[in-house]
Amino acid sequence: MFPWGLSCLSVLGAAGTALLGAGLLLSLAQHLWTLRWTLSRDRASALPLPKGSMGWPFFGETLHWLVQGSRFHSSRRERYGTVFKTHLLGRPVIRVSGAENVRRILLGEHRLVRSQWPQSAHILLGSHTLLGAFGEPHRQRRKVLARVFSRGALQRFVPRLQGALRREVRSWCAARRPIAVYQAAKALTFRMAARILLGLRLDEAQCAELARTFEQFVENLFSLPLDVPFSGLRKGIRARDQLHRYLEEAIAEKLREDKAAEPGDALDMIIHSTRELGQELSVQELKETAVELLFAAFLTTASASTSLVLLLLQHPAAVAKIRQELAAQGLGRACGCAAGGGAGPRPDCGCEPDLSLAALGRLRYIDCVVKEVLRLLPPVSGGYRTALRTFELDGYQIPKGWSVMYSIRDTHETATVYRSPPEGFDPERFGAASEDARGASGRFHYIPFGGGARSCLGQELAQAVLQLLAVELVRTARWELATPAFPAMQTVPIVHPADGLRLFFHPLAPSAARDGLCL
């Protein structure tokens, strides 16, 4: 027995020594990893690097970020403050929140920072996009695209958008089964963008097929930049090429049309605007521009539309106020088109649109609701930039070449300029008195569309879509959960309910729409 005991002790001792050695090596590796980033600070600046952790060698804090989701950022903000460093997806990152810090980043475009997108996104979207442009080419492209979202253009879009939204809400009511709102909103957003913005002549089957291709393109937009069989990038390239083949025919037809004709959609406006500037875009440039327009409108609008439906369901008092406002403006009665036998409204109703851009502008409370939805659940959590030179932010140095991520969600969550706590749903915080009290500097407390040189050009169009959706929902339908509880919200790659938000929709009784009853 004694020799066996000695052997057992020997094995245990060897295992303990091995574990101790592995622990020491791991500790040394982490120390060297931390030292590597400490030494990467710009020695020409006396300022320290922001507080924070660079995590484990090579992996950084990526695994923590993937597991913890939005809690990862909030926990580190609580520990380190509104400017902190971390290491994510193979790059050193400085996370920034708070109105004043974000203001410096957004207004520092082309001077302190420049836009940063993954290499895969540049490959798939192409080199002729606003996303990939810098300096003067960026300014010129924004100038052309600004005409697409001018007030005159929006006035032409609104009636067609209202018609599409009205048909969609009525189809939800007629379905008599649970609707997965997020999936339905994605399909709807794609149809509106393809038919109204790009003027594509698509039947339902073509539209559904093109939407599937486009979703595969978007799913692989942020992937490893490895063009090998079965890779995400290869799938994205295949989807992009299919989109381009379809768009090439549509664009060729547009280029053959009468050059003197009034532009009817966004793509027409881009072609006309560049011609007025003495330029002519190639078919390749137009294809890439069309895909970029689809991408800009697709997930963000679907996310915000889903959040609007969810928050109105959770806050029936807001629905009641919307109905009261519609009644006061003479818009309380929904279109009376209904199927026989009380089966509910027909989705193919041919009632004429009754809203204009001017009419939407008079719906102040609905505007406040839309703004509050975008404040509480901004579709995009933030944006990435690369530091062009070392600069100071909140007493820390931001080294040249490091990634800077400004946080929309954190900035909204910590804003102290509103009369009510930022975590609550309160559309009244955007009333005229509250807006005046915040002053000019307050605009960086609310940044769902970014700001500065790269602010979203389509923000007014997006807000009009949400306002129109609110009107059609509130005066046409009532809705309820098809699940036992409200779903958890996911934030990657964009804010959306984990189960897609499954709801039952029912046609609203005419008296309820007329009398302003709540859900």
Side-chain angles (χ1 to χ4, degrees), residues 167-313:
R167 288 189 294 273
E168 185 70 14
V169 172
R170 289 173 178 275
S171 74
W172 294 350
C173 290
R176 299 192 177 189
R177 58 176 171 76
I179 300 295
V181 176
Y182 182 53
Q183 284 72 22
K186 285 193 289 185
L188 169 65
T189 300
F190 181 83
R191 286 199 304 275
M192 290 193 300
R195 292 172 174 171
I196 298 173
L197 280 184
L198 301 186
L200 301 182
R201 300 180 178 93
L202 301 167
D203 59 32
E204 289 301 318
Q206 288 175 318
C207 195
E209 182 182 356
L210 206 60
R212 285 192 294 270
T213 302
F214 183 74
E215 190 149 9
Q216 186 176 51
F217 168 82
V218 172
E219 285 173 358
N220 293 288
L221 201 58
F222 305 105
S223 56
L224 291 174
L226 299 174
D227 185 9
V228 296
F230 308 110
S231 68
L233 183 62
R234 178 66 64 84
K235 294 175 184 176
I237 290 172
R238 190 182 306 119
R240 178 203 63 192
D241 291 346
Q242 290 175 354
L243 289 169
H244 280 194
R245 279 195 293 273
Y246 185 89
L247 287 168
E248 189 164 353
E249 295 179 15
I251 288 167
E253 185 177 341
K254 283 183 175 294
L255 293 174
R256 288 193 296 269
E257 290 174 355
D258 181 8
K259 294 183 179 182
E262 182 75 13
D265 54 64
L267 210 50
D268 285 336
M269 291 178 199
I270 291 168
I271 293 169
H272 281 247
S273 295
T274 51
R275 284 172 175 167
E276 287 176 6
L277 294 171
Q279 302 169 15
E280 190 79 28
L281 292 179
S282 67
V283 172
Q284 182 64 26
E285 287 174 309
L286 288 169
K287 286 189 294 186
E288 292 180 10
T289 298
V291 171
E292 185 178 34
L293 281 172
L294 287 173
F295 170 62
F298 181 57
L299 281 182
T300 53
T301 307
S303 167
S305 298
T306 306
S307 296
L308 173 69
V309 176
L310 172 64
L311 289 171
L312 286 179
L313 177 59

Side-chain angles (χ1 to χ4, degrees), residues 26-40:
L26 189 60
S27 177
L28 177 62
Q30 187 164 21
H31 175 75
L32 292 174
W33 175 253
T34 301
L35 181 64
R36 178 252 187 276
W37 293 111
T38 302
L39 294 176
S40 72

Side-chain angles (χ1 to χ4, degrees), residues 127-142:
S127 58
H128 304 103
T129 59
L130 191 65
L131 175 148
F134 301 99
E136 188 56 30
H138 177 261
R139 282 186 280 271
Q140 288 297 322
R141 285 176 188 166
R142 273 188 73 92

